[in-house]
PDB file of all heavy atoms in Angstrom:
ATOM      1  N   GLU A 153     -26.064  57.069  -1.719  1.00 93.00           N
ATOM      2  CA  GLU A 153     -25.687  58.473  -1.548  1.00 93.00           C
ATOM      3  C   GLU A 153     -25.397  59.125  -2.895  1.00 93.00           C
ATOM      4  O   GLU A 153     -25.629  60.327  -3.065  1.00 93.00           O
ATOM      5  CB  GLU A 153     -24.491  58.585  -0.607  1.00 93.00           C
ATOM      6  CG  GLU A 153     -24.858  58.289   0.848  1.00 93.00           C
ATOM      7  CD  GLU A 153     -23.738  58.618   1.817  1.00 93.00           C
ATOM      8  OE1 GLU A 153     -22.623  58.956   1.364  1.00 93.00           O
ATOM      9  OE2 GLU A 153     -23.983  58.520   3.041  1.00 93.00           O
ATOM     10  N   ARG A 155     -27.089  58.583  -5.434  1.00 92.00           N
ATOM     11  CA  ARG A 155     -28.420  58.846  -6.008  1.00 92.00           C
ATOM     12  C   ARG A 155     -29.179  59.932  -5.250  1.00 92.00           C
ATOM     13  O   ARG A 155     -29.784  60.816  -5.852  1.00 92.00           O
ATOM     14  CB  ARG A 155     -29.249  57.560  -6.004  1.00 92.00           C
ATOM     15  CG  ARG A 155     -28.769  56.511  -6.980  1.00 92.00           C
ATOM     16  CD  ARG A 155     -29.634  55.268  -6.885  1.00 92.00           C
ATOM     17  NE  ARG A 155     -31.036  55.556  -7.171  1.00 92.00           N
ATOM     18  CZ  ARG A 155     -32.029  54.678  -7.010  1.00 92.00           C
ATOM     19  NH1 ARG A 155     -31.770  53.475  -6.535  1.00 92.00           N
ATOM     20  NH2 ARG A 155     -33.280  55.018  -7.307  1.00 92.00           N
ATOM     21  N   LEU A 313     -38.780  32.279  34.483  1.00 79.00           N
ATOM     22  CA  LEU A 313     -38.549  30.926  33.976  1.00 79.00           C
ATOM     23  C   LEU A 313     -39.765  30.414  33.213  1.00 79.00           C
ATOM     24  O   LEU A 313     -39.627  29.739  32.185  1.00 79.00           O
ATOM     25  CB  LEU A 313     -38.207  29.981  35.129  1.00 79.00           C
ATOM     26  CG  LEU A 313     -36.894  30.282  35.863  1.00 79.00           C
ATOM     27  CD1 LEU A 313     -36.685  29.298  37.010  1.00 79.00           C
ATOM     28  CD2 LEU A 313     -35.706  30.229  34.918  1.00 79.00           C
ATOM     29  N   LEU A 535     -55.927  58.481  21.923  1.00 89.00           N
ATOM     30  CA  LEU A 535     -55.405  58.205  20.583  1.00 89.00           C
ATOM     31  C   LEU A 535     -54.699  56.862  20.526  1.00 89.00           C
ATOM     32  O   LEU A 535     -54.909  56.074  19.589  1.00 89.00           O
ATOM     33  CB  LEU A 535     -54.453  59.327  20.156  1.00 89.00           C
ATOM     34  CG  LEU A 535     -53.775  59.148  18.790  1.00 89.00           C
ATOM     35  CD1 LEU A 535     -54.811  59.080  17.669  1.00 89.00           C
ATOM     36  CD2 LEU A 535     -52.779  60.280  18.532  1.00 89.00           C
ATOM     37  N   SER A 540     -54.526  51.323  18.532  1.00 88.00           N
ATOM     38  CA  SER A 540     -54.377  49.913  18.873  1.00 88.00           C
ATOM     39  C   SER A 540     -55.613  49.122  18.492  1.00 88.00           C
ATOM     40  O   SER A 540     -55.527  48.023  17.928  1.00 88.00           O
ATOM     41  CB  SER A 540     -54.097  49.766  20.369  1.00 88.00           C
ATOM     42  OG  SER A 540     -54.006  48.407  20.742  1.00 88.00           O
ATOM     43  N   ALA A 552     -58.947  36.044   9.657  1.00 88.00           N
ATOM     44  CA  ALA A 552     -60.134  35.256   9.334  1.00 88.00           C
ATOM     45  C   ALA A 552     -60.301  35.114   7.824  1.00 88.00           C
ATOM     46  O   ALA A 552     -60.659  34.041   7.320  1.00 88.00           O
ATOM     47  CB  ALA A 552     -61.372  35.902   9.953  1.00 88.00           C
ATOM     48  N   LYS A 610     -56.009  49.305  -7.150  1.00 94.00           N
ATOM     49  CA  LYS A 610     -56.789  48.155  -6.694  1.00 94.00           C
ATOM     50  C   LYS A 610     -57.937  48.581  -5.787  1.00 94.00           C
ATOM     51  O   LYS A 610     -59.000  47.972  -5.795  1.00 94.00           O
ATOM     52  CB  LYS A 610     -55.880  47.156  -5.969  1.00 94.00           C
ATOM     53  CG  LYS A 610     -54.958  46.362  -6.890  1.00 94.00           C
ATOM     54  CD  LYS A 610     -54.184  45.318  -6.114  1.00 94.00           C
ATOM     55  CE  LYS A 610     -53.290  44.480  -7.026  1.00 94.00           C
ATOM     56  NZ  LYS A 610     -54.067  43.664  -7.973  1.00 94.00           N
TER      57      LYS A 610
END
Side-chain angles (χ1 to χ4, degrees):
E153 288 189 353
R155 290 179 59 188
L313 295 178
L535 177 61
S540 177
K610 286 185 178 295

